[in-house]
Amino acid sequence: MKILIFGATGMVGRGTLRECLADSRVESVLSVGRSACGETHAKLREILLPDLFDLSSASQDLSGFDACLYCLGASPATLSARAYRRVTVDLTLSVARFLAPRNPGMTFVYVSGAGVNPGRRTLVHTLRAKGEVEAALAALPFRATCMLRPGLIRPLDGIRSRTVSHRLFYAMMEPLMPLFVRMLPGLITDTRRLGRAMLRAASGEVPRVLETRQINEG
């Protein structure tokens, strides 16, 4: 597979990139972002763009992919509702609408979140925003779309969240995390399992929506 990754510098993106580079099914990976992901590998190439709302300068490089693993996201803890929506909804759909006509054979894999349901009204702005994205992605002319809805994501393999409050939370919870994982298998996943689930989705091996328990099955 030829894989396109957005957001390879974040916690989810780093875990996903790690699994892509280790998987024999993946022929090549192109990472697109505002900053370098810090990895070097024979399979990996990077494109750095100052404004991800404008992909026109990289247009020739962004076609012919089997899957886009979209890991870009924002923490509602650090952004206003308006800024969160711009990253979560506006940017995601801007990228997807750019890619769709150039990659008709592409599977677009989106990291959504636990509790998201596009068909249900909610006053929670984060769930509402991701539900809107899920519905819009499903209507685009990709070969397939897959929405992953993880709950708590445990960082492994030296990966750390870029959000300070999240790093503190994980540091405090890590001694108890193995217990929570056993007790709450439907609520907690990790960066390895999430990355592997994204690759399963890319190869068309899963349903259109994966909740946390399904993410952990692979």
Side-chain angles (χ1 to χ4, degrees), residues 56 59-60 62-65 97-106:
S56 57
S59 180
Q60 293 184 344
L62 298 178
S63 62
F65 288 90
R97 287 165 179 157
F98 185 91
L99 294 177
R102 294 166 173 82
N103 297 272
M106 171 180 280

Side-chain angles (χ1 to χ4, degrees), residues 159-180:
I159 295 170
R160 302 173 70 201
S161 171
R162 293 190 296 175
T163 304
V164 174
S165 60
H166 291 182
R167 290 202 301 271
L168 293 173
F169 170 80
Y170 287 123
M172 289 188 296
M173 295 299 293
E174 184 55 33
L176 298 173
M177 195 63 75
L179 175 63
F180 290 151

